[in-house]
Amino acid sequence: MPAMKPHLLLVDDDDDLLRLLSMRLTANGYRVTAVGSAEAALARLSIELPSLVISDIRLPDRDGMALFQQIRSQYPALPVILLTAHGTIPDAVEATTLGAYAYLTKPFDAKILLDRISQALALTAPSTAGPDGDDSWRAEIISRSQAMAELLAEARLVAASDASVLIRGESGTGKELLARAIHRASRRANAPFIAVNCGAIPEQLLESELFGHVKGAYTGAVNSREGLVQAADGGTLFLDEIGDMPLLLQVKLLRVLQERVVRQLGSDVGRPVDVRVLSATHRDLDAAMLEGQFREDLYYRLNVITLTLPALAQRREDIGLLATRFLQMLATKYGKTVNGFAPDALEALTRAAWPGNVRQLYNVVEHVCALATAPLVPLTLVHRALRVPTLEVLSYTEAKQRFERNYLVQLLKLTDGNVSDAARLAERNRTEFYRLLSKYDLNAAQFREGGTVAEERQE
């Protein structure tokens, strides 16, 4: 996957300067968006997160410092370079103490600006490019939403360190996918990534699974076994549903994180281990601490950095993208010739509630793919998969005709096709009843056992 050009947002009310800067930066391989006011800049930021912002301090509609502070508040990982006249140098100096990457006084040397941009992108820009310069580290995460772009920018920065990360989010939002992406973007990418679901393994087995055991440590331990913490040595250990870990094991995990030494069950010998720990939960760990169900000291060890995955309902612009990708994958898996969704079907997917998030969306797409009989998935199939009752509005005439036909069918089924009995139950004479059957092209013989035509029993 080729690397995308870094996107720069220029903010200045000087049209000539914007035009000149845009030409120079574009010629140097950058993708440039130029706006003339703070409000226009905030609007662009809400649409697409750039790699870096270059802004004048003096703007017509809002003080450039106020714009900078709002950017820092909403997008803390986004670097900002300020342009200033001599009279606003004190403001620029103050801005750098508050987190601006650099400031340049007008007129400035173009080479110096290019150097500052290059340095800022290398050190702090929220680029999603991995160590090899591309986006392959996050290839499994399909998104074009602003919320996910901001999250991935932070994840890319976090990946460069060994800090512990707590990934929060509702069930089904893709916490393990994000953990794997962080691992692939880190210096540990070529070492193991070991994932453990703390809520899926019984308490009596979880200790042995994590820390290993020596022969004879407990009944049934006929051989020594390395634990998953040791298996992740040099790489990343991902502890999913960490909030479900029993208190006793929380103590032992804390010791491993503090001492960087793991002791197998039944052994007094510690073995050094080098692991980066990522953890995830959908539970409220702050509430769990107050209730005494989660250790405070372990919480702060794990929660050096928090990343929160948005619910699917908060990134609706991704739903169509995800659904289409899932459909392509599943059509190949099932050998189906399904090419996409009908427009109204795609709209229904976009408007759905999605309490189960991306996992539920995948399940729905798998459902419709398995049952699809045409190249385009229709709305009715999507409603069925979503368990949405179909509301069909009929005219009075259509509703009456449907009722009459269904009523006649039920009578013929009840009487095994005996017209005399069916007419009697309907309180109609045989002639009128036959007329009704003819109106709806119903043949009483089809309802008799064996489907053969026989003489009607006379009344």
Side-chain angles (χ1 to χ4, degrees), residues 51-351:
S51 304
L52 179 143
V53 176
I54 301 172
S55 174
D56 192 3
I57 283 186
R58 291 286 173 88
L59 295 171
D61 57 339
R62 182 187 301 209
D63 179 64
M65 284 292 292
L67 172 63
F68 163 71
Q69 290 172 347
Q70 187 164 347
I71 290 174
R72 294 302 296 169
S73 173
Q74 292 183 242
Y75 314 103
L78 180 60
V80 178
I81 293 176
L82 295 171
L83 305 179
T84 176
H86 286 287
T88 56
I89 287 180
D91 288 337
V93 172
E94 179 188 357
T96 58
T97 65
L98 295 175
Y101 179 77
Y103 71 90
L104 298 176
T105 55
K106 298 179 180 179
F108 49 83
D109 186 285
K111 184 178 183 304
I112 294 177
L113 174 62
L114 290 171
D115 287 343
R116 293 289 186 273
I117 292 172
S118 179
Q119 293 164 6
L121 293 177
L123 294 175
T124 61
S127 166
T128 59
D132 53 359
D134 63 32
D135 278 349
S136 59
W137 69 280
R138 51 143 300 179
E140 293 180 332
I141 300 176
I142 303 165
S143 176
R144 60 186 174 197
S145 76
Q146 179 74 5
M148 286 298 292
E150 294 171 22
L151 177 70
L152 289 170
E154 293 181 7
R156 179 67 192 91
L157 292 174
V158 166
S161 73
D162 261 351
S164 297
V165 180
L166 177 63
I167 303 173
R168 297 177 184 265
E170 296 177 8
S171 180
T173 49
K175 295 186 284 294
E176 184 172 341
L177 282 182
L178 181 60
R180 289 183 182 276
I182 292 171
H183 171 73
R184 282 194 296 269
S186 73
R187 65 178 180 83
R188 299 174 180 266
N190 295 323
F193 175 90
I194 304 295
V196 186
N197 190 321
C198 301
I201 304 174
E203 180 177 350
Q204 60 271 24
L205 296 179
L206 184 57
E207 181 177 8
S208 176
E209 285 292 315
L210 282 175
F211 308 118
H213 62 260
V214 298
K215 181 179 179 180
Y218 56 85
T219 303
V222 295
N223 294 301
S224 295
R225 181 182 176 187
E226 184 182 73
L228 295 175
V229 174
Q230 284 180 276
D233 190 26
T236 302
L237 179 67
F238 174 57
L239 299 174
D240 197 7
E241 299 304 345
I242 188 67
D244 294 333
M245 178 176 282
L247 282 168
L248 178 62
L249 295 189
Q250 291 179 30
V251 176
K252 296 190 175 184
L253 176 62
L254 178 63
R255 187 177 298 120
V256 170
L257 297 179
Q258 289 175 334
E259 300 175 4
R260 297 292 172 180
V261 170
V262 62
R263 291 177 179 81
Q264 292 178 301
L265 190 61
S267 172
D268 294 328
V269 179
R271 299 183 183 182
V273 66
D274 172 28
V275 293
R276 193 227 185 125
V277 176
L278 307 178
S279 53
T281 183
H282 71 280
R283 294 186 58 190
D284 184 347
L285 292 188
D286 297 285
M289 282 193 299
L290 292 175
E291 295 168 1
Q293 296 177 359
F294 201 85
R295 292 183 62 93
E296 184 176 0
D297 44 9
L298 177 60
Y299 174 82
Y300 290 115
R301 278 281 178 178
L302 296 174
N303 190 27
V304 176
I305 298 168
T306 299
L307 297 177
T308 303
L309 275 161
L312 185 57
Q314 295 173 319
R315 41 183 290 218
R316 291 191 178 276
E317 59 267 56
D318 287 342
I319 292 174
L321 194 66
L322 287 163
T324 302
R325 180 69 65 87
F326 292 159
L327 188 65
Q328 293 169 349
M329 294 165 46
L330 291 163
T332 301
K333 175 182 176 181
Y334 291 128
K336 290 292 195 79
T337 55
V338 186
N339 302 325
F341 294 88
D344 53 358
L346 201 56
E347 183 179 357
L349 289 174
T350 304
R351 292 177 179 275

